[in-house]
Amino acid sequence: MKTIVFRTVACVILTGSTITGLAQTYPTRLLDNEPQVESIIKGMTLEEKIEMLHGKNMFSSAGIPRLGIADVEYADGPFGIREEMEPHSWNSAHLSTDSATFFPTGSALAATWSTEWAYAYGRGMSREARLRGKDMILGPAINIQRIPTGGRTYEYLSEDPLLSGMLAIAYTKGSQDDGTAVCLKHYALNNQEDYRGFVDVRISDRAMHEIYLRPFEMAVREADAWGVMAAYNKVNGRWCSENEHLLTTVLRQQWGFPGMVISDWGGVHSTIDAVTAGMNVEMPGSRFMGQALLDSVKAGKVSEAVIDQRVREILRVRLTVKPIGKEEANRQPVGNPEEMATALEVARRSIVLLKNENLLPIDPRRVKHIVVIGENAITKMALGGVGAGVKTRCEITPLEGLQTILGNSMRITYVPGYKSFDRESRNKRLSPQQQADRQLMAEAVKAAKKADLVIFFAGDNREVETEGSDRKSITLPSGQDELAIALAKANKQLVTVIVSGGPVDVSTVGEVSGALVASWFNGSMGGQALAEILTGKISPSGKLPMTWPCRLEDVPAYATGSYPQNIENNNQGDIFVDITRNRSNDRRQKLVANYTEENLVGYRWYDDKQVPVAYPFGFGLSYAQFQYSDLLVQPTADGFDVCFSLTNTSTMDAEEVAQVYIARPTSHVEHPTKELKGFQRVALKAGEHKTMTIPVRRADLCHWDEAAQTWMLEPGSIRVLVGGSSDNLPLTTETKLY
């Protein structure tokens, strides 16, 4: 048994030009220009300072032309640079040069479990942002996926803070190393879309820090993130945009954040409270931080020193990010081969094989005719629903991918099978949960009977999963379960591909299908990546970044009754209008979400409560087989290394994601049954053996001490578990921390 000695972890402090704390010291570039920043502030009028603290256009805030300080240009969308908009509306500017690569969305990126490709993703986003004249990307979106029905589950990364945090670090470094600031969003606890502009999240300090704030802390402290976006909702009674505890105590004092905070669009509710709490820029207008703020300073209600500090934080970012002249922006087409290649590599590694009874990969010796069924085979996912989308020059659909790879070797027939939920349905306020279309189903069944293999494309689209509202269920839309049963009766050689951003109920399709694949909203090159997986050109290697539950009522937020919140005569309306117009609605103002499950989010809950799941966190099959052996734990200065052997025992090259979990059965401090504390993606050739070393960091072994308001490390026994998913951990050993 190994003995590992740690010191108590300290809180974060700001010293000179470095952020220190937890286990290491991390540099920040934002303090490199302080003399110039101070000189600029001294030369500014009060009116010029105020002008910097609110939106100028829909996606820009003002600089200081007289002093040669450029406006700050924001790029909407964490998975692709949004098209240009008219200055003061959500309407397209209809340019011909504002295309972009549609990168796989957040949950797809997280399914890669790859920091390497998260870095490349952030770099690709930055390269395109620069061509489009942007200074700051409104992303990555790193809120925890508390509910599978969340309207932005597809944008967010994971239910686990370590996985989310490590990917956020890589994305942030990739973008900022290339020269574009990130804006981490949505800070904090924006875990639902229904009533997001009103709900008051009530949560303990420990659960908040350990689960919901941890990815933000990691990206701020370890990747030097330069921007943060305040969320719409309240946390413990205060709007995030005026929450002094979040914006000053935690973000700036505990984490040492020297950068700028912008509001979510329309998310500011006050003048004095917002600016003094730590808000830098009200977007997109000036209702509270324009003339009202100027008047407040002149009346002595807000000190000019506070204004100077808010301007100082903006200037740090502005002087760190090189501005692109407006005459240089949007001159070159965006969506170029290098970024498309990154999108392809991410998509390849994101696809998760959930079930396979020898139907995949497709065997050309016995399959000569494939019938592809389902509108998701031809539906493009770059646009749709409410919120950011991408006007991409290229999006390969699954059908196009299959036709390109297989078209010359076998016959492919397509039939729609169902009619997807669309914008017209949404406008008519119809539910996605409609019965199957009898005529379309009959045509699909007829075609299926003639096929050697049926590939059924089920799941959601960007109208079903959309910002601004949560799904009401995880049942497959458009009568897809009924259609799947009929297809299975017609042809037992049925492969079902789930296209979605988050979990769906696969109890029916999983039972009737011989193979089941999760392919996400997978970007411009998603169709090619999927075809490569289905045909065996590469082995699937994605792992679920969230648990797929058996039933919605098993999800902790539903099981504890804290979600959904119900208000009579619900009419949320357009989420992008000024959400303060309904402030007189007392029922909405009293809307509370008690996070009674505390830190038992996702797999932590299912483990602790012994609730069965459809597919566990970290799960994903391969065409290869992997053997884990020879576990050894070795102490290091920053924690300990988990060393083991990993062998590809198959005849196919493949990649595996090895995962390390920690359990503390004898702890005096309450902990979940087990928690992810390390992971690593590795490529292994057929028959290859590698010695793996996965570091477990001291910072990630701490718990948040509410009394001391800092991270603490508890001594005692721990159990180290290693394997390929949260429910398949063949290696285990014990050690002690002193």
Side-chain angles (χ1 to χ4, degrees), residues 627-632 643-647 689-690 722 730-731:
Q627 182 179 14
Y628 289 77
S629 61
D630 305 323
L631 176 61
L632 179 66
C643 307
F644 56 95
S645 297
L646 185 61
T647 305
H689 166 93
K690 285 187 177 180
V722 179
L731 303 183

Side-chain angles (χ1 to χ4, degrees), residues 639-675:
F640 58 84
D641 286 340
V642 178
C643 307
F644 56 95
S645 297
L646 185 61
T647 305
N648 180 350
T649 60
S650 73
T651 59
M652 184 176 189
D653 297 352
E655 295 186 11
E656 167 70 331
V657 177
Q659 303 164 39
V660 176
Y661 294 81
I662 298 297
R664 304 188 185 192
T666 61
S667 173
H668 295 291
V669 177
E670 188 174 359
H671 290 281
T673 302
K674 64 175 180 290
E675 296 181 281

Side-chain angles (χ1 to χ4, degrees), residues 253-273:
Q253 294 176 357
Q254 293 178 356
W255 301 349
F257 176 68
M260 60 186 283
V261 176
I262 71 171
S263 76
D264 209 335
W265 268 230
V268 174
H269 297 262
S270 65
T271 296
I272 297 172
D273 289 349

Side-chain angles (χ1 to χ4, degrees), residues 228-231 241 261-268 279 281-284:
V228 170
M229 180 186 290
S241 60
V261 176
I262 71 171
S263 76
D264 209 335
W265 268 230
V268 174
M279 176 61 61
V281 180
E282 174 191 5
M283 289 297 294

Side-chain angles (χ1 to χ4, degrees), residues 203-376:
I203 187 171
S204 73
D205 212 36
R206 183 183 173 194
M208 181 169 66
H209 277 271
E210 291 184 6
I211 302 295
Y212 297 96
L213 297 188
R214 184 65 178 137
F216 290 93
E217 179 181 10
M218 293 170 71
V220 166
R221 296 191 54 258
E222 301 180 48
D224 186 28
W226 299 336
V228 170
M229 180 186 290
Y232 282 123
N233 52 282
K234 299 175 184 176
V235 173
N236 292 332
R238 296 302 301 267
W239 302 106
C240 289
S241 60
E242 57 190 54
N243 194 310
E244 185 177 9
H245 180 73
L246 287 177
L247 298 184
T248 296
T249 304
V250 174
L251 181 63
R252 290 194 164 95
Q253 294 176 357
Q254 293 178 356
W255 301 349
F257 176 68
M260 60 186 283
V261 176
I262 71 171
S263 76
D264 209 335
W265 268 230
V268 174
H269 297 262
S270 65
T271 296
I272 297 172
D273 289 349
V275 74
T276 56
M279 176 61 61
N280 294 92
V281 180
E282 174 191 5
M283 289 297 294
S286 58
R287 175 174 179 175
F288 294 102
M289 295 179 67
Q291 185 64 45
L293 181 56
L294 179 62
D295 293 343
S296 296
V297 177
K298 290 181 176 180
K301 296 180 179 180
V302 176
S303 165
E304 190 166 353
V306 170
I307 304 301
D308 287 350
Q309 182 60 21
R310 298 290 86 87
V311 171
R312 180 177 295 112
E313 290 152 353
I314 297 171
L315 286 172
R316 287 169 178 166
V317 177
R318 178 67 281 176
L319 295 184
T320 302
V321 177
K322 179 182 178 181
I324 304 294
K326 288 182 170 56
E327 69 282 358
E328 297 297 320
N330 292 302
R331 293 183 60 184
Q332 301 179 45
V334 183
N336 296 312
E338 185 173 347
E339 280 63 64
M340 289 292 181
T342 296
L344 175 60
E345 293 294 348
V346 171
R348 284 169 170 164
R349 289 164 176 80
S350 74
I351 296 167
V352 182
L353 180 60
L354 297 173
K355 177 184 179 181
N356 189 22
E357 295 178 346
N358 298 317
L359 288 187
L360 296 176
I362 297 169
D363 185 352
R365 294 170 299 180
R366 64 179 182 83
V367 177
K368 303 300 181 183
H369 179 201
I370 296 175
V371 169
V372 173
I373 296 172
E375 282 199 1
N376 274 352

Side-chain angles (χ1 to χ4, degrees), residues 164-207:
S164 295
M166 296 302 287
L167 296 176
I169 288 170
Y171 181 125
T172 298
K173 288 182 176 180
S175 177
Q176 295 187 167
D177 285 354
D178 188 73
T180 310
V182 303
C183 184
L184 307 174
K185 65 182 190 182
H186 306 88
Y187 184 73
L189 292 109
N190 181 187
N191 308 114
Q192 64 183 72
E193 289 298 285
D194 284 357
Y195 308 115
R196 68 177 181 178
F198 307 93
V199 70
D200 182 5
V201 174
R202 302 292 176 87
I203 187 171
S204 73
D205 212 36
R206 183 183 173 194

